[in-house]
Amino acid sequence: MYESGEDYLEAILVLEEKLEGFVRSVDIANHMGFSKPSVSRAMGILEKDGYIEFGHANRIKLTEKGREKATDVYDRHRLLTKFLVKITGVDEDQAEKNACRVEHDIDQDIVNGIKTWMEKNSD
């Protein structure tokens, strides 16, 4: 899966919680700052690949496969954000922007090592 697809799945997961499960393409467009046509194209690809499905009133729902992928990306994002704040002292906004760029390319063994380090060094 491409980085942009992971970003869309992560956005759907976040918006599901924020909007109590009622996510539409326009919500994703507003959240990510993308055009509605771009989001519609991406949703078509994610649906074709089995990551989302459309429900009543064009509500976007993550499939089991989509939820698993979105949760994995979001967990890496949160872990990396906390890690960057802790080791560098930068503010959370800067750490989050950098975590967003790193979360797609980092190897799982590195993620596991960061998790272990964070557990040992938690306040």
Side-chain angles (χ1 to χ4, degrees):
M1 166 171 278
Y2 293 106
E3 181 178 321
S4 62
E6 290 183 347
D7 286 339
Y8 279 111
L9 292 175
E10 184 180 9
I12 294 167
L13 183 69
V14 168
L15 287 169
E16 273 184 349
E17 187 171 315
K18 183 179 178 182
L19 302 174
E20 299 178 8
F22 194 81
V23 180
R24 300 165 300 152
S25 291
V26 67
D27 301 316
I28 297 166
N30 290 337
H31 176 78
M32 298 181 77
F34 295 159
S35 71
K36 288 189 276 186
S38 293
V39 172
S40 291
R41 274 192 301 277
M43 293 305 105
I45 293 167
L46 291 174
E47 180 184 35
K48 179 179 165 259
D49 292 345
Y51 290 101
I52 66 165
E53 55 190 25
F54 289 93
H56 177 70
N58 284 328
R59 185 174 126 202
I60 298 167
K61 295 172 60 175
L62 293 167
T63 61
E64 185 177 326
K65 175 182 173 181
R67 184 165 307 284
E68 185 177 306
K69 185 67 170 175
T71 301
D72 179 56
V73 174
Y74 189 55
D75 288 348
R76 279 185 279 149
H77 180 101
R78 291 185 315 185
L79 175 70
L80 289 167
T81 299
K82 290 176 186 174
F83 178 71
L84 292 171
V85 167
K86 186 162 188 77
I87 65 167
T88 67
V90 298
D91 65 61
E92 191 166 334
D93 186 53
Q94 183 180 4
E96 189 167 338
K97 287 176 185 170
N98 281 270
C100 192
R101 291 192 298 264
V102 174
E103 70 194 18
H104 305 287
D105 296 321
I106 193 167
D107 295 331
Q108 188 59 46
D109 57 334
I110 302 296
V111 171
N112 293 341
I114 291 171
K115 279 182 190 175
T116 300
W117 188 89
M118 290 292 286
E119 288 167 4
K120 289 179 182 175
N121 294 284
S122 64
D123 294 325

